[in-house]
Amino acid sequence: MTEQAFAPQRIVVTGGAGFIGSNFVHWVVNNQPGVHVTVLDALTYAGNRQNLAGIPEDRLDFVHGNICDEQLVDQLVSQTDAVVHFAAESHNDNSIADPTPFLQTNVHGTYVLLQACKKYDVRFHHISTDEVYGDLALDDPARFTESTPYNPSSPYSSTKASSDLLVRAWVRTYGVRATISNCSNNYGPYQHVEKFIPRQITNLICGIRPKLYGDGLNVRDWIHTEDHSSAVWCILTKGKVGETYLIGADGERSNIDVLRAILDGMGAGPDDFDWVRDRPGHDRRYAIDSTKLRTELGWQPQHTDFAQGLAQAIAWYRDNEDWWRPAKEATEAKYAAQGQ
Ligand code: NAD
Ligand code: DAU
């Protein structure tokens, strides 16, 4: 059972200059002609104004600011129909090195947004992750569902779990009109070079050997960013307030299989990489059962050919060196200092 469709005319997108947030903004501008978007983004190391290039001025306002800034958030939320909340510190390895910004942005920032949505009775959609459920064994036939107990492992995933719990409490206690989505690993263009797939592609372009953590058998459930974006719009407009929806596209693959596909796609040999120190607390396997989203809201992923998506990603990083080069050296220096 879905509620009557919700049709926002103005939305605030937090973190809209990041990898997934900017994809969502382009998706909305391209697919929802009547909707105006205001992006609120602090432009941290992970945000890039260029990610929003090409969007007509009459469709987008860009606000450079922090979701922890109560006054600014109050002002923006008072003038919108909905908030779609992507802004976060998003990288596990960074959270292990320094959890502080994860607590500030992921927990306190979500609280500030919820308070404003409560004050103005504004619809809120919270973007979360499958990592809140912890991990699964490689041989476990189970996948995560909406009723899997929370069991986060890392500073990153525990702050995302905390933010989900805040959203649930604000729904129940204050009647905030909110939904939550927990998605699996995204890939596609504009992903920061700190993340697994872009790191290995850009390493090969730079003549650096790719780096694989641990035994390489950890499994991630890959989804193309475009499919995450269409799912978020579907939940925002058709989802039932108070509900959680898992987003996934049946894309389970081991890290070593993904790396070997990249090596093959870029003309390198299957063993042309380095084994490096494992991530502390490294989750073994993630896997999403997205039956609820598909059966209740009618969503389907469109970009399920992983080989094709990976080839497009490789081509994109080859063609867009200007975009990723400025971040590459510092990212690799940070990894080298961590033995990774
Ligand atoms: P990202 O790191 O690429 O982008 C994060 C964006 O948020 C950046 O533009 C950054 O400038 C902005 N930001 C950070 N702190 C901010 C603050 N205090 N105020 C305002 N803006 C701030 O992240 P991503 O990979 O695009 O992830 C987006 C969201 O999706 C996150 O909530 C993440 O937890 C979730 N998610 C990511 C994945 C994935 O595979 N990347 C999968 C599932 C869920
Ligand atoms: O599952 C959703 C999550 O996916 C999101 O919530 C996070 O924001 C996003 O960063 C991602 O988390 P992961 O930790 O799974 O992604 P990452 O790209 O960092 O790593 C993917 C896998 O690859 C993981 O098992 C660690 C491994 N890895 C990573 C890097 C950077 C390597 O083996 N070598 C590497 O160099």
Side-chain angles (χ1 to χ4, degrees):
M1 278 278 282
T2 60
E3 295 187 332
Q4 206 174 8
F6 169 63
Q9 299 301 296
R10 302 161 301 170
I11 62 173
V12 168
V13 177
T14 73
F19 163 49
I20 308 172
S22 63
N23 185 281
F24 178 74
V25 172
H26 283 282
W27 191 96
V28 170
V29 168
N30 292 334
N31 293 286
Q32 305 298 330
V35 177
H36 182 272
V37 180
T38 299
V39 165
L40 171 60
D41 198 295
L43 296 178
T44 67
Y45 80 95
N48 190 335
R49 186 68 179 84
Q50 278 175 259
N51 296 2
L52 298 167
I55 297 179
E57 276 181 20
D58 62 335
R59 302 293 308 282
L60 175 71
D61 283 329
F62 181 81
V63 178
H64 182 192
N66 198 304
I67 58 168
C68 298
D69 180 339
E70 288 176 24
Q71 268 191 332
L72 177 60
V73 165
D74 185 280
Q75 180 206 327
L76 295 176
V77 173
S78 73
Q79 297 161 14
T80 194
D81 302 321
V83 172
V84 186
H85 176 34
F86 290 89
E89 288 291 337
S90 70
H91 194 44
N92 275 296
D93 293 316
N94 294 344
S95 81
I96 294 165
D98 179 12
T100 308
F102 291 73
L103 270 295
Q104 284 160 347
T105 289
N106 300 2
V107 184
H108 189 72
T110 301
Y111 158 75
V112 170
L113 291 163
L114 283 168
Q115 286 290 80
C117 288
K118 171 187 147 203
K119 180 173 173 187
Y120 295 106
D121 189 23
V122 161
R123 176 82 168 78
F124 185 72
H125 181 69
H126 181 60
I127 308 295
S128 191
T129 169
D130 58 1
E131 297 194 18
V132 299
Y133 301 115
D135 63 352
L136 298 160
L138 294 181
D139 60 356
D140 188 341
R143 299 193 288 174
F144 298 137
T145 71
E146 287 77 5
S147 54
T148 303
Y150 274 42
N151 188 26
S153 319
S154 74
Y156 162 68
S157 55
S158 62
T159 58
K160 292 298 289 187
S162 305
S163 64
D164 291 13
L165 297 184
L166 292 180
V167 177
R168 289 180 181 198
W170 262 241
V171 169
R172 174 154 174 177
T173 304
Y174 302 115
V176 167
R177 293 181 295 125
T179 41
I180 300 174
S181 55
N182 298 79
C183 188
S184 59
N185 283 63
N186 285 223
Y187 78 102
Y190 296 99
Q191 187 168 28
H192 196 276
V193 291
E194 70 191 354
K195 302 294 198 301
F196 179 57
I197 289 178
R199 185 183 184 203
Q200 315 312 336
I201 295 172
T202 54
N203 271 6
L204 286 164
I205 295 172
C206 294
I208 303 170
R209 282 166 71 85
K211 312 289 181 210
L212 194 60
Y213 295 174
D215 63 7
L217 297 180
N218 305 64
V219 168
R220 295 296 182 263
D221 189 352
W222 295 98
I223 182 172
H224 197 281
T225 352
E226 286 282 325
D227 285 331
H228 190 175
S229 293
S230 68
V232 168
W233 183 260
C234 176
I235 297 165
L236 176 70
T237 55
K238 298 202 280 180
K240 188 173 172 202
V241 162
E243 292 289 312
T244 290
Y245 299 88
L246 264 54
I247 306 174
D250 303 329
E252 279 188 71
R253 277 178 179 76
S254 69
N255 292 341
I256 190 153
D257 283 353
V258 172
L259 178 55
R260 289 223 159 104
I262 294 169
L263 290 164
D264 186 49
M266 298 185 71
D271 297 317
D272 288 344
F273 66 89
D274 294 333
W275 300 98
V276 295
R277 186 176 77 86
D278 206 358
R279 172 184 286 170
H282 196 176
D283 280 337
R284 198 58 167 157
R285 169 175 162 247
Y286 305 138
I288 289 270
D289 178 348
S290 58
T291 303
K292 177 178 174 182
L293 174 60
R294 294 177 194 228
T295 55
E296 292 187 13
L297 305 188
W299 173 82
Q300 287 290 334
Q302 303 295 321
H303 302 268
T304 50
D305 183 338
F306 185 74
Q308 187 184 57
L310 194 59
Q312 285 166 350
I314 291 169
W316 190 86
Y317 284 92
R318 278 193 167 127
D319 292 345
N320 289 277
E321 285 203 23
D322 290 354
W323 182 87
W324 57 263
R325 276 274 175 202
K328 184 67 184 168
E329 202 177 325
T331 304
E332 286 308 311
K334 199 160 22 167
Y335 276 127
Q338 292 168 184
Q340 293 174 320

